[in-house]
Amino acid sequence: MRALTKKGIIMIAMIGMAILCMMCGENKPVEIRGYLLGAAPPGMPAVMEELNRRLLKDINAEMEINYIGWGDFQSKYPLILASGQDFDWIYTANWAFYFQQAAKGAFMEITEDMLEKYMPRHYAALPKNAYNEMKVNGKMYMIPTSTPDRKIPVTLIRADLRKKYNVPEIRKYSDLEAYLEAIRKNEPEMIPMALDKSYDIGRPYAALAAELGDYYFDILFATGSGSGVDYNLNDPGHKLVYHCEGKNLENHKTAAAIMKRWYDKGYINRDVFANTVRSKDSFSLGKSAVGIGNSQDVQANISDAIAKGWEIEIVPELDAKGHYYADPHINNGVALAAGTKNAEVTMKALDMIMEEKTYNYLVYLGIEGTNYVIKDGKIDLPEGLSADANTYPPDAAGFWFTNKDQLLPFAGWTDLYIKMKNDIKNKGYLVPTIFQTMPVDTETIKTELATLNQVMVQYEQPIQAGMVKDIEEAFGLLDEKLKAAGVMKVKEALQKQVDAYLASIR
């Protein structure tokens, strides 16, 4: 054989290196980047390490997750999508910019074929009626949860203190007054109702108004502080109503008067607009006598309270008919970024996170043995670990879109809590409404909506917190500012969309 020349040897070596590089490239893990809402719990690094170990083994991928904090949510979420950042998926929901951003082209279209091919577990679990909820201009841009939350807003109170101070049982929200008074008089280190500026601020006010009749919701409250245009949960005609007129106004004035009385008597904290600590967290610390949340996100607070020897009662926030709106599938979900280059692998990863039980338990509950154990058919804390020391509490990491029907009951659930969950499921509390699934196009009224949102923040939130001096004067000013900002134009434009949507689904 003729000896290889020096040039030939170099060529062969280069070809070999090229082949090796190609082989390396083929095996290089796909890096997936995503966004969740809230803040990473302290145990997140350990969960991500385990998640990536599994993803690497199963689909040769690794995932990086960033968070959009609640304080930046309104501004940062649209900014990230508009900036052209390189990422693959982001949490979305009907209350978290889904319709608005899908209409702008920020999300990749999702077809039923894509779901069936890349997310077979989720495709099998997702009922067909969810597909209509996902559509924007006839196309789907979301991967919604297969198990919508069955939840209602609730307020936790200390039953041990209620009984200690001979306060009658709380049967409706306004009954809280005697309890708040007893706390104010006898527990000087505790604030009866410590509201935060974001989640809590409008909740007692809304609950007090709702117990007087029907529940009215602002049609655009989910992605802002409101528009001044409401819908009545119990109205079969789906007619929008102005916030400052009729029975709607009457109920809100009554609620405002109660909140003002509570504020004037010192039951509500003076720093509501500066406070960023939710009442349910202050409740767990023994600093607030009420904890405001929903029937899903107060689980850890209840477990923590029981561990401390407190007796807890749950006050549901329903209207006079015992109703609250039912969450649709699109109340929790994920969208792919329009510019993602990893759609197939991202969907495969999400399929396992959302529907494969071991993945689901990992992202929702943390590391087994460290953050939770399975004991007697229930999810429990490892021996020696308290709920407040758990670095990865259930539901805290933002994976709200996984299949929650796969989760076992929690050991900390009291009989009262289990009864409440059964009541939610069986007593018809939850009422479906088109306003939770109807896409709203705000493009032609976006200027008015921006101003209306500011009006609601500036003129209604002080009413909600009980801080205004004169109720009639405050509502008069709110009415004047809303009308000046174009609320009637917005109401008319949105009613046309409601009517068109109703015609499209009949």
Side-chain angles (χ1 to χ4, degrees):
M1 179 183 294
R2 192 173 65 181
L4 289 171
T5 63
K6 182 177 180 181
K7 185 177 180 180
I9 292 172
I10 292 173
M11 286 292 292
I12 291 171
M14 291 177 65
I15 292 170
M17 289 179 66
I19 293 172
L20 282 172
C21 287
M22 288 175 63
M23 292 175 66
C24 289
E26 288 175 356
N27 292 324
K28 186 179 178 182
V30 176
E31 296 180 1
I32 303 169
R33 294 183 64 207
Y35 276 98
L36 291 173
L37 304 185
M44 191 71 177
V47 169
M48 290 305 299
E49 182 179 348
E50 176 60 19
L51 176 64
N52 281 325
R53 187 188 70 76
R54 297 184 190 188
L55 289 175
L56 201 59
K57 174 175 174 291
D58 291 336
I59 59 172
N60 195 33
E62 292 180 313
M63 185 173 285
E64 173 190 318
I65 293 178
N66 299 295
Y67 279 84
I68 302 172
W70 290 116
D72 301 327
F73 171 56
Q74 296 293 337
S75 59
K76 192 173 180 180
Y77 190 102
L79 193 62
I80 287 171
L81 289 165
S83 68
Q85 280 191 36
D86 181 18
F87 69 97
D88 301 292
W89 64 270
I90 188 167
Y91 177 90
T92 193
N94 57 340
W95 55 271
F97 296 104
Y98 171 61
F99 292 122
Q100 295 92 328
Q101 292 299 328
K104 290 180 179 178
F107 301 144
M108 176 177 284
E109 182 184 354
I110 305 293
T111 66
E112 190 170 345
D113 288 343
M114 290 169 70
L115 288 172
E116 186 174 17
K117 184 175 182 181
Y118 303 129
M119 301 186 71
R121 299 172 183 83
H122 192 61
Y123 180 76
L126 190 65
K128 297 301 179 188
N129 65 350
Y131 288 70
N132 279 335
E133 297 177 6
M134 298 150 60
K135 288 181 179 175
V136 177
N137 297 325
K139 296 182 179 179
M140 302 184 293
Y141 298 91
M142 180 199 264
I143 303 164
T145 180
S146 59
T147 52
D149 291 338
R150 302 180 191 98
K151 69 174 187 289
I152 60 171
V154 297
T155 294
L156 305 181
I157 69 163
R158 290 275 302 273
D160 53 326
L161 296 180
R162 178 184 70 75
K163 294 174 181 176
K164 179 180 179 181
Y165 301 124
N166 298 314
V167 175
E169 190 174 345
I170 310 298
R171 296 189 179 278
K172 60 183 185 300
Y173 211 82
S174 54
D175 289 346
L176 281 173
E177 184 153 348
Y179 170 74
L180 299 176
E181 182 181 7
I183 296 297
R184 174 71 173 166
K185 181 179 178 183
N186 298 294
E187 298 287 339
E189 302 299 320
M190 186 180 285
I191 299 171
M193 181 176 276
L195 305 178
D196 84 334
K197 68 176 185 178
S198 299
Y199 188 92
D200 302 329
I201 187 168
R203 284 280 303 281
Y205 169 78
L208 289 166
E211 76 174 32
L212 297 168
D214 296 325
Y215 226 133
Y216 289 87
F217 297 93
D218 192 297
I219 188 172
L220 292 175
F221 175 76
T223 48
S225 291
S227 64
V229 179
D230 300 342
Y231 68 88
N232 178 345
L233 180 64
N234 299 307
D235 176 18
H238 306 294
K239 294 299 180 186
L240 297 177
V241 294
Y242 173 42
H243 192 67
C244 291
E245 67 181 3
K247 182 65 175 173
N248 193 13
L249 174 62
E250 184 183 323
N251 290 353
H252 280 110
K253 280 185 176 179
T254 302
I258 296 172
M259 290 302 294
K260 176 172 170 52
R261 186 164 67 242
W262 291 359
Y263 182 82
D264 289 346
K265 289 185 175 181
Y267 303 164
I268 298 171
N269 50 314
R270 266 28 187 178
D271 64 344
V272 175
F273 288 106
N275 183 28
T276 58
V277 181
R278 283 182 61 180
S279 60
K280 75 184 189 79
D281 297 324
S282 296
F283 181 82
S284 290
L285 294 172
K287 296 179 178 178
S288 175
V290 301
I292 298 170
N294 64 61
S295 51
Q296 295 288 114
D297 75 353
V298 296
Q299 295 173 29
N301 303 87
I302 293 174
S303 298
D304 182 50
I306 291 170
K308 290 173 177 171
W310 302 347
E311 185 182 354
I312 302 300
E313 287 177 345
I314 303 168
V315 182
E317 301 171 22
L318 305 170
D319 68 18
K321 296 182 175 69
H323 289 165
Y324 194 74
Y325 67 77
D327 283 347
H329 291 83
I330 59 172
N331 197 53
N332 282 304
V334 173
L336 301 187
T340 178
K341 299 178 179 62
N342 305 310
E344 176 182 334
V345 178
T346 301
M347 291 181 77
K348 288 180 177 177
L350 290 169
D351 191 40
M352 286 186 284
I353 287 172
M354 295 171 78
E355 303 291 349
E356 207 290 313
K357 190 174 178 180
T358 59
Y359 274 80
N360 185 7
Y361 270 57
L362 173 65
V363 299
Y364 199 84
L365 301 170
I367 306 292
E368 185 171 6
T370 299
N371 304 109
Y372 77 96
V373 294
I374 303 299
K375 184 179 178 183
D376 300 328
K378 294 183 177 179
I379 298 167
D380 204 348
L381 289 168
E383 189 174 348
L385 179 67
S386 62
D388 58 356
N390 187 0
T391 57
Y392 200 90
D395 202 53
F399 289 95
W400 306 310
F401 45 82
T402 66
N403 188 331
K404 297 187 190 70
D405 283 351
Q406 293 178 348
L407 300 176
L408 291 167
F410 286 81
W413 287 2
T414 63
D415 291 343
L416 185 67
Y417 184 74
I418 293 171
K419 179 181 182 304
M420 180 195 67
K421 288 183 72 68
N422 290 334
D423 286 348
I424 293 171
K425 187 176 181 180
N426 302 322
K427 288 195 171 181
Y429 289 167
L430 299 176
V431 179
T433 170
I434 64 160
F435 295 104
Q436 291 298 312
T437 57
M438 188 191 90
V440 177
D441 182 359
T442 58
E443 188 61 29
T444 60
I445 49 175
K446 61 183 179 183
T447 302
E448 289 82 2
L449 287 175
T451 308
L452 289 168
N453 186 63
Q454 288 305 311
V455 169
M456 295 296 278
V457 170
Q458 185 173 351
Y459 296 98
E460 177 158 68
Q461 286 193 348
I463 296 174
Q464 294 174 335
M467 294 178 170
V468 296
K469 291 182 179 178
D470 186 293
I471 300 295
E472 291 295 331
E473 186 177 301
F475 274 101
L477 187 58
L478 177 65
D479 177 45
E480 176 188 327
K481 296 295 183 181
L482 286 172
K483 286 177 176 172
V487 70
M488 291 307 178
K489 175 186 173 183
V490 169
K491 177 173 174 284
E492 182 181 353
L494 294 177
Q495 186 65 60
K496 287 180 180 176
Q497 293 188 37
V498 171
D499 295 341
Y501 180 73
L502 286 170
S504 73
I505 61 175
R506 280 171 180 155

